[in-house]
């Protein structure tokens, strides 16, 4: 079970890196945009560029997070399927063993009953 745990840690680390990168990009964009106030009056194009950069960065982060979540879900599903398969195999073996035990007990009882009746006759 250590492999899924390592994968979860890796996904969390990648998610954290993506968020850190997005925040840094956003901060840089805001700083650049604020710098435009000191040099000249910002234009509509400047505002649109800053907005586009912020949304693009956010979209990239969201896509990375969703991809990580998808991988986590698939890993959990695969692990669950493996568990169900193992439990199913064990249940089949136990059922087979129980059936053999009951069949042997019934056959032994029938044989004893037959011998007892034969001895009394």
């Amino acid at each position: 079970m250590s492999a899924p745990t390592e994968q979860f840690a890796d996904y969390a680390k990648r998610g954290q890196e993506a968020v850190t990168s997005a925040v840094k990009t956003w901060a840089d964009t805001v700083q650049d945009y604020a710098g435009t106030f000191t040099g000249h009056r910002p234009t509509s194009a400047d505002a649109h560029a800053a907005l586009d950069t912020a949304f693009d960065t956010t979209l990239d982060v969201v896509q990375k997070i969703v991809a990580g979540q998808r991988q986590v879900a698939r890993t959990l599903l695969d692990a669950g399927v493996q568990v169900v398969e193992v439990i199913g195999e064990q249940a089949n073996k136990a059922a087979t063993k129980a059936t053999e035990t009951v069949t042997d007990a019934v056959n032994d009882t029938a044989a004893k009953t037959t011998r007892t009746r034969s001895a009394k006759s």
Side-chain angles (χ1 to χ4, degrees), residues 11-116:
Y11 297 142
K13 181 181 175 188
R14 283 197 264 164
Q16 181 181 6
E17 289 170 353
V19 170
T20 301
S21 174
V23 170
K24 183 180 181 327
T25 302
W26 178 80
D28 290 345
T29 302
V30 170
Q31 191 173 25
D32 290 344
Y33 185 69
T36 62
F37 285 111
T38 59
H40 68 285
R41 184 172 177 208
T43 64
S44 176
D46 293 334
H48 284 224
L51 185 65
D52 287 345
T53 300
F55 274 102
D56 289 345
T57 301
T58 302
L59 181 60
D60 288 343
V61 169
V62 169
Q63 287 174 333
K64 289 177 183 177
I65 290 171
V66 169
Q69 289 174 338
R70 178 182 294 126
Q71 188 60 42
V72 168
R74 287 180 175 171
T75 300
L76 288 173
L77 179 67
D78 290 343
V81 167
Q82 290 174 356
V83 167
V84 168
E85 287 174 352
V86 168
I87 290 172
E89 289 171 7
Q90 291 175 348
N92 284 339
K93 287 178 184 177
T96 301
K97 182 67 175 172
T99 301
E100 290 171 357
T101 302
V102 169
T103 302
D104 290 346
V106 168
N107 289 339
D108 286 347
T109 302
K112 288 178 184 175
T113 303
T114 303
R115 284 192 301 259
T116 303

